[in-house]
Coordinates of all heavy atoms in Angstrom, one line a residue:
E252 N -115.0 -35.6 -43.0 CA -116.2 -35.1 -42.3 C -117.4 -36.1 -42.5 O -118.0 -36.5 -41.5 CB -116.6 -33.8 -42.9 CG -117.9 -33.2 -42.2 CD -118.4 -31.9 -42.8 OE1 -117.7 -31.4 -43.8 OE2 -119.4 -31.4 -42.5
E253 N -117.5 -36.7 -43.7 CA -118.6 -37.6 -44.0 C -118.3 -38.9 -43.2 O -119.2 -39.5 -42.6 CB -118.6 -38.0 -45.5 CG -119.2 -36.8 -46.3 CD -120.7 -36.6 -46.1 OE1 -121.4 -37.6 -45.9 OE2 -121.1 -35.5 -46.2
W254 N -117.0 -39.3 -43.1 CA -116.7 -40.6 -42.4 C -117.0 -40.4 -40.9 O -117.7 -41.3 -40.3 CB -115.3 -41.0 -42.7 CG -114.7 -42.0 -41.8 CD1 -113.9 -41.9 -40.7 CD2 -115.1 -43.5 -41.8 NE1 -113.7 -43.1 -40.1 CE2 -114.4 -44.1 -40.8 CE3 -115.9 -44.2 -42.7 CZ2 -114.5 -45.5 -40.5 CZ3 -116.0 -45.6 -42.4 CH2 -115.3 -46.2 -41.3
E255 N -116.5 -39.3 -40.3 CA -116.6 -39.1 -38.9 C -118.1 -39.0 -38.5 O -118.6 -39.4 -37.5 CB -115.8 -37.9 -38.4 CG -114.3 -38.2 -38.5 CD -113.5 -37.0 -38.2 OE1 -114.1 -35.8 -38.1 OE2 -112.3 -37.1 -37.9
D256 N -118.8 -38.3 -39.4 CA -120.3 -38.0 -39.1 C -121.1 -39.4 -39.2 O -121.9 -39.7 -38.4 CB -120.9 -37.0 -40.2 CG -122.3 -36.8 -40.0 OD1 -122.7 -36.3 -38.8 OD2 -123.2 -37.1 -40.8
S257 N -120.7 -40.2 -40.3 CA -121.3 -41.5 -40.4 C -121.1 -42.4 -39.2 O -122.1 -43.1 -38.7 CB -120.9 -42.1 -41.7 OG -121.2 -41.4 -42.8
V258 N -119.8 -42.4 -38.8 CA -119.5 -43.3 -37.6 C -120.3 -42.9 -36.4 O -120.8 -43.7 -35.6 CB -118.0 -43.3 -37.4 CG1 -117.6 -44.0 -36.1 CG2 -117.3 -44.0 -38.5
A259 N -120.2 -41.5 -36.1 CA -120.9 -41.0 -35.0 C -122.4 -41.3 -35.0 O -123.0 -41.7 -34.0 CB -120.7 -39.5 -34.8
R260 N -123.0 -41.2 -36.1 CA -124.5 -41.4 -36.2 C -124.9 -42.8 -36.1 O -125.9 -43.2 -35.5 CB -125.0 -40.8 -37.5 CG -125.0 -39.2 -37.4 CD -125.0 -38.6 -38.7 NE -126.3 -38.7 -39.4 CZ -126.6 -38.2 -40.6 NH1 -125.6 -37.5 -41.2 NH2 -127.8 -38.3 -41.2
V261 N -124.0 -43.7 -36.7 CA -124.3 -45.2 -36.6 C -124.2 -45.6 -35.2 O -124.9 -46.4 -34.7 CB -123.4 -46.0 -37.6 CG1 -123.5 -47.4 -37.3 CG2 -123.8 -45.7 -39.0
S262 N -123.1 -45.2 -34.6 CA -122.8 -45.6 -33.2 C -123.9 -45.1 -32.2 O -124.2 -45.8 -31.2 CB -121.5 -45.1 -32.7 OG -121.4 -43.7 -32.6
K263 N -124.5 -43.9 -32.5 CA -125.5 -43.4 -31.6 C -126.9 -43.8 -32.0 O -127.9 -43.5 -31.4 CB -125.4 -41.8 -31.6 CG -124.2 -41.3 -31.0 CD -124.2 -39.8 -31.0 CE -122.9 -39.3 -30.3 NZ -122.8 -37.8 -30.4
K264 N -127.0 -44.5 -33.2 CA -128.2 -45.0 -33.8 C -129.2 -43.8 -33.9 O -130.4 -43.9 -33.6 CB -128.9 -46.1 -32.8 CG -128.1 -47.3 -32.8 CD -128.7 -48.4 -31.9 CE -128.0 -49.8 -32.1 NZ -126.6 -49.7 -31.9
E265 N -128.6 -42.7 -34.5 CA -129.5 -41.5 -34.7 C -130.3 -41.7 -36.0 O -130.0 -42.6 -36.8 CB -128.5 -40.3 -35.0 CG -127.8 -39.8 -33.7 CD -127.0 -38.6 -34.0 OE1 -126.9 -38.2 -35.1 OE2 -126.4 -38.1 -33.0
L266 N -131.3 -40.9 -36.1 CA -132.0 -40.8 -37.4 C -131.1 -40.2 -38.4 O -130.3 -39.3 -38.1 CB -133.3 -39.9 -37.2 CG -134.4 -40.4 -36.3 CD1 -135.4 -39.3 -36.2 CD2 -135.0 -41.7 -36.8
F267 N -131.1 -40.7 -39.6 CA -130.2 -40.4 -40.6 C -130.6 -39.1 -41.3 O -131.1 -39.1 -42.4 CB -130.0 -41.5 -41.6 CG -129.4 -42.8 -40.9 CD1 -130.2 -43.9 -40.8 CD2 -128.1 -42.7 -40.4 CE1 -129.6 -45.0 -40.1 CE2 -127.6 -43.8 -39.8 CZ -128.3 -45.0 -39.6
R268 N -130.4 -38.0 -40.7 CA -130.7 -36.7 -41.2 C -129.4 -36.0 -41.6 O -128.3 -36.3 -41.1 CB -131.3 -35.8 -40.1 CG -132.7 -36.4 -39.7 CD -133.2 -35.6 -38.5 NE -133.4 -34.2 -38.8 CZ -134.5 -33.7 -39.3 NH1 -135.5 -34.5 -39.7 NH2 -134.6 -32.4 -39.6
E269 N -129.5 -35.1 -42.6 CA -128.3 -34.4 -43.1 C -128.2 -33.1 -42.4 O -129.1 -32.7 -41.7 CB -128.5 -34.1 -44.6 CG -128.6 -35.3 -45.5 CD -127.2 -36.1 -45.4 OE1 -126.2 -35.5 -45.3 OE2 -127.3 -37.4 -45.6
K270 N -127.0 -32.6 -42.4 CA -126.7 -31.3 -41.7 C -126.2 -30.2 -42.7 O -125.5 -30.5 -43.7 CB -125.6 -31.5 -40.7 CG -126.0 -32.6 -39.6 CD -124.8 -32.7 -38.5 CE -125.2 -33.7 -37.5 NZ -124.2 -34.0 -36.5
C271 N -126.6 -29.0 -42.4 CA -126.1 -27.9 -43.2 C -125.8 -26.7 -42.2 O -126.6 -26.3 -41.5 CB -127.2 -27.4 -44.1 SG -126.8 -25.9 -45.1
V272 N -124.5 -26.3 -42.3 CA -124.0 -25.2 -41.5 C -124.0 -23.9 -42.3 O -123.3 -23.9 -43.4 CB -122.7 -25.5 -40.9 CG1 -122.2 -24.3 -40.0 CG2 -122.7 -26.8 -40.1

Side-chain angles (χ1 to χ4, degrees):
E252 179 185 355
E253 289 288 329
W254 169 252
E255 291 177 344
D256 181 63
S257 299
V258 170
R260 289 161 69 179
V261 167
S262 64
K263 294 179 181 178
K264 295 181 170 53
E265 292 182 354
L266 293 174
F267 296 111
R268 297 172 60 84
E269 295 297 328
K270 297 179 181 179
C271 176
V272 181

